[in-house]
Amino acid sequence: MGITFGEDIPLERTQLPEWFMKRLLDWGTSAGMEAFNDPERDGHSTVVLGGKVLVVDIDFSINRTHPEKPVIDVATCKTAYAIPNSTATSSTGNSISLDGFLADAIRAFLNEVQKDDAERDTVEAARLGRLLSDHFAYLMKLDHLALSEGDGGLRWFNFIDRMSLEVEKLAGSEADAIGRCANAL
């Protein structure tokens, strides 16, 4: 695992949005993704990360109401995937649960690095950044599997949503059972 010294967060808060965008692009490229960033315009900036099958499009809002302390947040996170040169019309899709998962992981990192200096934990920020980098690396593994399997390869991405639905059903039935037990007491 090695030693973690903490995330090298800029001391000058005005540099935070640009620094974060660079970090995100670095994580994506180190995972093997193509990474693009549109410059900030009207308080928004977009990052696109992609493999051969998967594309992650993340729109960020940047609030500069207080120029000395800008705040960046995930506005939208959308994934899309399609097998290149596929003939099947059902070979494209997206994953709502993956969208939410990635948005939450990015927000967790942003929340930590945007805390006031006295509250910010650079080691925790580094841990969250490493997790995000690991998520991108895992998605690229799925990307390679999906590409190698052709049309059937999208199952690697579709499974996430199917599993999420099953977990939601299970959680709902467990909550109902707990509620019935609590009412019986």
Side-chain angles (χ1 to χ4, degrees):
M1 274 195 137
I3 299 171
T4 301
F5 292 102
E7 190 69 42
D8 190 18
I9 303 164
L11 296 175
E12 183 63 41
R13 293 296 296 251
T14 58
Q15 297 174 0
L16 200 61
E18 292 77 16
W19 168 83
F20 169 72
M21 294 298 180
K22 183 179 179 324
R23 289 295 290 140
L24 190 61
L25 293 172
D26 289 347
W27 291 327
T29 55
S30 69
M33 297 175 142
E34 296 284 331
F36 306 96
N37 173 243
D38 288 338
E40 181 183 343
R41 189 173 51 215
D42 299 325
H44 287 275
S45 186
T46 301
V47 171
V48 178
L49 304 167
K52 301 289 185 194
V53 174
L54 175 71
V55 176
V56 181
D57 188 357
I58 313 162
D59 185 40
F60 293 94
S61 64
I62 304 169
N63 183 340
R64 295 188 186 271
T65 304
H66 302 287
E68 71 285 351
K69 195 175 181 180
V71 177
I72 183 169
D73 192 18
V74 177
T76 60
C77 180
K78 294 182 183 174
T79 56
Y81 39 83
I83 300 294
N85 304 320
S86 175
T87 57
T89 57
S90 64
S91 67
T92 61
N94 71 319
S95 172
I96 294 170
S97 56
L98 182 57
D99 296 349
F101 175 77
L102 287 175
D104 288 347
I106 294 167
R107 273 192 196 103
F109 179 80
L110 285 171
N111 288 340
E112 188 61 44
V113 300
Q114 294 182 105
K115 288 179 179 178
D116 290 332
D117 294 341
E119 298 174 13
R120 184 173 41 216
D121 183 348
T122 59
V123 174
E124 176 64 6
R127 185 188 72 79
L128 293 168
R130 191 174 51 252
L131 275 174
L132 199 48
S133 180
D134 290 347
H135 296 328
F136 290 144
Y138 179 72
L139 288 174
M140 285 309 294
K141 286 179 185 177
L142 295 182
D143 185 83
H144 293 305
L145 286 170
L147 184 63
S148 67
E149 290 185 12
D151 284 344
L154 291 181
R155 69 187 172 97
W156 295 104
F157 296 106
N158 294 333
F159 178 75
I160 294 169
D161 279 333
R162 285 197 314 271
M163 185 176 66
S164 296
L165 291 173
E166 293 302 316
V167 168
E168 276 187 44
K169 286 181 194 174
L170 177 63
S173 66
E174 291 293 317
D176 289 344
I178 290 170
R180 284 191 302 275
C181 287
N183 288 336
L185 296 176

